[in-house]
Coordinates of all heavy atoms in Angstrom, one line a residue:
P296 N -0.6 -23.2 1.9 CA -1.2 -24.5 1.4 C -2.5 -24.4 0.6 O -2.8 -25.3 -0.2 CB -1.6 -25.2 2.8 CG -0.6 -24.6 3.8 CD -0.4 -23.2 3.3
D297 N -3.2 -23.2 0.6 CA -4.3 -23.0 -0.2 C -3.9 -22.8 -1.7 O -4.6 -23.0 -2.6 CB -5.1 -21.8 0.2 CG -5.9 -22.1 1.5 OD1 -6.0 -23.3 1.8 OD2 -6.4 -21.2 2.1
D298 N -2.6 -22.4 -1.9 CA -2.1 -22.1 -3.2 C -1.2 -23.3 -3.7 O -1.3 -23.7 -4.9 CB -1.3 -20.8 -3.2 CG -2.1 -19.6 -3.0 OD1 -3.3 -19.7 -3.4 OD2 -1.6 -18.6 -2.5
V299 N -0.3 -23.8 -2.9 CA 0.6 -24.9 -3.3 C 0.7 -25.8 -2.1 O 0.8 -25.4 -1.0 CB 2.0 -24.3 -3.6 CG1 2.9 -25.5 -3.9 CG2 2.0 -23.3 -4.7
S300 N 0.5 -27.1 -2.5 CA 0.6 -28.1 -1.4 C 1.9 -28.1 -0.7 O 2.9 -27.8 -1.2 CB 0.3 -29.5 -2.0 OG 1.4 -30.0 -2.7
V301 N 1.9 -28.5 0.6 CA 3.1 -28.5 1.4 C 4.1 -29.4 0.9 O 5.3 -29.1 0.9 CB 2.7 -28.8 2.9 CG1 4.0 -28.9 3.7 CG2 1.8 -27.8 3.5
T302 N 3.7 -30.5 0.4 CA 4.7 -31.5 -0.2 C 5.4 -31.0 -1.4 O 6.6 -31.2 -1.6 CB 4.0 -32.9 -0.4 OG1 2.8 -32.6 -1.2 CG2 3.7 -33.6 0.9
I303 N 4.6 -30.3 -2.3 CA 5.3 -29.7 -3.5 C 6.2 -28.6 -3.1 O 7.3 -28.5 -3.5 CB 4.2 -29.2 -4.5 CG1 3.5 -30.4 -5.1 CG2 4.8 -28.4 -5.6 CD1 2.4 -30.0 -6.1
R304 N 5.7 -27.8 -2.2 CA 6.6 -26.6 -1.7 C 7.9 -27.2 -1.1 O 8.9 -26.5 -1.3 CB 5.8 -25.9 -0.7 CG 6.6 -25.0 0.3 CD 7.4 -23.9 -0.4 NE 8.3 -23.2 0.5 CZ 9.5 -23.6 0.7 NH1 10.1 -24.6 0.1 NH2 10.3 -22.9 1.6
S305 N 7.9 -28.2 -0.4 CA 9.1 -28.7 0.3 C 10.1 -29.2 -0.7 O 11.3 -29.4 -0.3 CB 8.7 -29.8 1.3 OG 8.2 -31.0 0.6
R306 N 9.7 -29.5 -1.9 CA 10.7 -30.0 -2.9 C 11.1 -28.9 -3.9 O 11.7 -29.3 -5.0 CB 10.1 -31.2 -3.6 CG 10.0 -32.4 -2.6 CD 9.0 -33.4 -3.1 NE 9.1 -34.6 -2.2 CZ 8.5 -34.7 -1.0 NH1 7.9 -33.6 -0.5 NH2 8.7 -35.8 -0.2
C307 N 10.7 -27.7 -3.7 CA 11.0 -26.6 -4.6 C 11.8 -25.5 -4.0 O 11.7 -25.3 -2.8 CB 9.7 -26.0 -5.2 SG 8.7 -27.2 -6.1
R308 N 12.5 -24.8 -4.8 CA 13.2 -23.6 -4.3 C 12.2 -22.4 -4.6 O 11.7 -22.3 -5.7 CB 14.5 -23.3 -5.0 CG 15.3 -22.1 -4.5 CD 16.7 -22.0 -5.1 NE 17.5 -23.2 -4.6 CZ 18.6 -23.5 -5.1 NH1 19.1 -22.9 -6.1 NH2 19.3 -24.6 -4.6
V309 N 12.0 -21.5 -3.6 CA 11.1 -20.4 -3.8 C 11.8 -19.2 -4.2 O 12.8 -18.8 -3.6 CB 10.3 -20.2 -2.5 CG1 9.3 -19.0 -2.6 CG2 9.5 -21.5 -2.1
V310 N 11.3 -18.5 -5.2 CA 11.8 -17.2 -5.6 C 10.7 -16.1 -5.3 O 9.7 -16.0 -6.1 CB 12.1 -17.1 -7.1 CG1 12.6 -15.8 -7.5 CG2 13.2 -18.2 -7.4
P311 N 10.7 -15.4 -4.2 CA 9.7 -14.4 -3.9 C 9.9 -13.2 -4.7 O 11.0 -12.6 -4.8 CB 9.9 -14.2 -2.4 CG 11.3 -14.5 -2.1 CD 11.8 -15.5 -3.1
L312 N 8.8 -12.7 -5.3 CA 8.8 -11.4 -6.0 C 8.0 -10.4 -5.3 O 7.0 -10.8 -4.6 CB 8.3 -11.6 -7.4 CG 8.9 -12.7 -8.3 CD1 8.2 -12.8 -9.6 CD2 10.4 -12.3 -8.5
R313 N 8.3 -9.1 -5.4 CA 7.6 -8.1 -4.7 C 6.8 -7.2 -5.7 O 7.1 -7.3 -6.9 CB 8.5 -7.2 -3.9 CG 9.5 -6.4 -4.8 CD 10.6 -5.7 -3.9 NE 11.5 -4.9 -4.7 CZ 11.4 -3.6 -4.9 NH1 10.3 -3.0 -4.4 NH2 12.3 -3.0 -5.6
Q314 N 5.9 -6.5 -5.2 CA 5.1 -5.6 -6.1 C 6.1 -4.5 -6.5 O 6.7 -3.8 -5.7 CB 3.9 -5.0 -5.4 CG 3.1 -4.2 -6.3 CD 1.6 -4.3 -6.0 OE1 1.2 -5.1 -5.2 NE2 0.8 -3.4 -6.5
P315 N 6.3 -4.3 -7.8 CA 7.3 -3.3 -8.3 C 6.8 -1.9 -8.0 O 5.6 -1.6 -8.1 CB 7.4 -3.6 -9.8 CG 6.1 -4.3 -10.2 CD 5.7 -5.1 -9.0
P316 N 7.7 -1.0 -7.7 CA 7.2 0.4 -7.5 C 6.7 1.0 -8.8 O 7.1 0.7 -9.9 CB 8.5 1.1 -7.0 CG 9.6 0.2 -7.5 CD 9.1 -1.2 -7.5
A317 N 5.8 2.0 -8.6 CA 5.2 2.6 -9.8 C 6.2 3.3 -10.7 O 6.1 3.3 -11.9 CB 4.2 3.7 -9.3
T318 N 7.3 3.8 -10.1 CA 8.3 4.5 -10.9 C 9.0 3.5 -11.9 O 9.3 3.8 -13.0 CB 9.4 5.1 -10.0 OG1 9.9 4.2 -9.1 CG2 8.8 6.3 -9.3
A319 N 9.2 2.2 -11.3 CA 9.9 1.2 -12.2 C 8.9 0.8 -13.3 O 9.3 0.5 -14.4 CB 10.3 0.0 -11.3
V320 N 7.6 0.7 -13.0 CA 6.7 0.3 -14.0 C 6.6 1.4 -15.1 O 6.5 1.1 -16.3 CB 5.3 0.0 -13.3 CG1 4.2 -0.2 -14.4 CG2 5.3 -1.1 -12.4
A321 N 6.5 2.6 -14.7 CA 6.5 3.7 -15.6 C 7.7 3.7 -16.5 O 7.6 3.9 -17.7 CB 6.4 5.0 -14.9
E322 N 8.8 3.4 -16.0 CA 10.1 3.4 -16.8 C 10.0 2.4 -17.9 O 10.4 2.6 -19.0 CB 11.3 3.2 -15.8 CG 12.6 3.3 -16.5 CD 13.1 2.0 -17.2 OE1 12.7 0.9 -16.8 OE2 13.8 2.1 -18.3
V323 N 9.5 1.2 -17.5 CA 9.5 0.1 -18.5 C 8.4 0.4 -19.6 O 8.6 0.1 -20.8 CB 9.2 -1.3 -17.9 CG1 7.8 -1.5 -17.5 CG2 9.7 -2.4 -18.8
L324 N 7.3 1.1 -19.2 CA 6.3 1.5 -20.2 C 6.9 2.5 -21.2 O 6.6 2.4 -22.4 CB 5.1 2.1 -19.5 CG 4.2 1.2 -18.7 CD1 3.1 1.9 -18.1 CD2 3.7 0.0 -19.5
V325 N 7.7 3.4 -20.7 CA 8.3 4.4 -21.6 C 9.4 3.7 -22.5 O 9.4 4.0 -23.7 CB 9.0 5.5 -20.8 CG1 9.8 6.5 -21.6 CG2 7.9 6.3 -20.0
R326 N 10.2 2.9 -21.9 CA 11.3 2.3 -22.6 C 10.8 1.2 -23.6 O 11.2 1.2 -24.8 CB 12.3 1.7 -21.7 CG 13.4 0.8 -22.3 CD 14.3 0.2 -21.3 NE 13.7 -0.5 -20.3 CZ 13.2 -1.8 -20.4 NH1 13.4 -2.4 -21.6 NH2 12.7 -2.4 -19.4
R327 N 9.9 0.4 -23.2 CA 9.5 -0.8 -24.0 C 8.4 -0.4 -25.0 O 8.4 -0.9 -26.1 CB 9.1 -1.9 -23.1 CG 8.8 -3.2 -23.9 CD 8.2 -4.2 -22.9 NE 7.0 -3.8 -22.3 CZ 6.3 -4.4 -21.3 NH1 6.9 -5.5 -20.8 NH2 5.2 -3.9 -20.8
D328 N 7.4 0.4 -24.5 CA 6.2 0.6 -25.3 C 6.1 2.0 -25.9 O 5.1 2.2 -26.6 CB 5.0 0.3 -24.4 CG 5.0 -1.1 -23.8 OD1 5.2 -2.1 -24.6 OD2 4.8 -1.3 -22.6
G329 N 7.1 2.8 -25.6 CA 7.1 4.2 -26.2 C 5.9 5.0 -25.7 O 5.5 5.9 -26.4
I330 N 5.5 4.8 -24.5 CA 4.4 5.6 -23.9 C 4.9 6.9 -23.3 O 6.0 6.9 -22.8 CB 3.6 4.8 -22.8 CG1 3.0 3.6 -23.5 CG2 2.6 5.6 -22.1 CD1 2.4 2.6 -22.5
A331 N 4.2 8.0 -23.5 CA 4.6 9.3 -23.0 C 4.8 9.2 -21.4 O 4.1 8.5 -20.7 CB 3.5 10.3 -23.3
P332 N 5.9 9.8 -20.9 CA 6.2 9.7 -19.5 C 5.1 10.1 -18.5 O 4.8 9.4 -17.5 CB 7.4 10.7 -19.3 CG 8.0 10.7 -20.7 CD 6.9 10.6 -21.7
D333 N 4.3 11.1 -18.8 CA 3.2 11.5 -17.9 C 2.1 10.5 -17.9 O 1.5 10.2 -16.9 CB 2.7 12.9 -18.3 CG 2.2 13.0 -19.7 OD1 2.6 12.1 -20.6 OD2 1.4 13.8 -20.1
V334 N 1.8 9.9 -19.1 CA 0.8 8.9 -19.2 C 1.2 7.6 -18.5 O 0.5 7.0 -17.8 CB 0.4 8.6 -20.6 CG1 -0.6 7.4 -20.7 CG2 -0.2 9.8 -21.3
A335 N 2.5 7.3 -18.7 CA 3.1 6.1 -18.0 C 3.0 6.2 -16.5 O 2.7 5.3 -15.8 CB 4.5 5.9 -18.5
Q336 N 3.3 7.4 -16.0 CA 3.3 7.6 -14.5 C 1.9 7.4 -14.0 O 1.7 6.8 -13.0 CB 3.9 9.0 -14.2 CG 5.3 9.2 -14.3 CD 6.1 8.5 -13.3 OE1 5.6 8.0 -12.3 NE2 7.5 8.5 -13.4
W337 N 0.9 8.0 -14.7 CA -0.5 7.9 -14.3 C -0.9 6.5 -14.3 O -1.5 6.0 -13.3 CB -1.4 8.8 -15.1 CG -2.8 8.4 -14.9 CD1 -3.6 8.9 -13.9 CD2 -3.6 7.5 -15.7 NE1 -4.9 8.4 -14.1 CE2 -4.9 7.5 -15.1 CE3 -3.4 6.8 -16.9 CZ2 -5.9 6.7 -15.7 CZ3 -4.4 6.0 -17.4 CH2 -5.7 6.0 -16.8
A338 N -0.6 5.8 -15.4 CA -1.1 4.4 -15.6 C -0.4 3.5 -14.5 O -1.1 2.6 -14.0 CB -0.8 3.9 -17.0
A339 N 0.8 3.7 -14.2 CA 1.5 2.8 -13.3 C 0.9 3.0 -11.9 O 0.8 2.0 -11.1 CB 3.0 3.2 -13.3
A340 N 0.6 4.2 -11.5 CA 0.0 4.5 -10.2 C -1.4 3.9 -10.1 O -1.8 3.2 -9.2 CB 0.0 6.0 -9.9

C-alpha cells in the first residue's frame, strides 16, 4: 500500500519481476553494447 493503493492494485493484473542474475546481465552487455566479457562480468556483479 505504500507503493500502490489497494484499490488500484485490486483492478490490475500484477507481473512480478525478479532481480536478474549477474550472468544474464553480463550477457546482454556483451551482446547489445559490445562490452568485453571480463568487464561485463565485473560490472554486472
Side-chain angles (χ1 to χ4, degrees):
D297 288 346
D298 291 332
V299 179
S300 74
V301 175
T302 47
I303 290 179
R304 157 65 187 91
S305 67
R306 288 158 176 80
C307 299
R308 181 172 297 167
V309 178
V310 179
L312 304 177
R313 64 189 183 97
Q314 185 145 348
T318 52
V320 175
E322 186 277 329
V323 79
L324 292 179
V325 173
R326 171 179 55 81
R327 183 188 64 188
D328 301 311
I330 295 170
D333 57 337
V334 176
Q336 288 286 355
W337 168 81

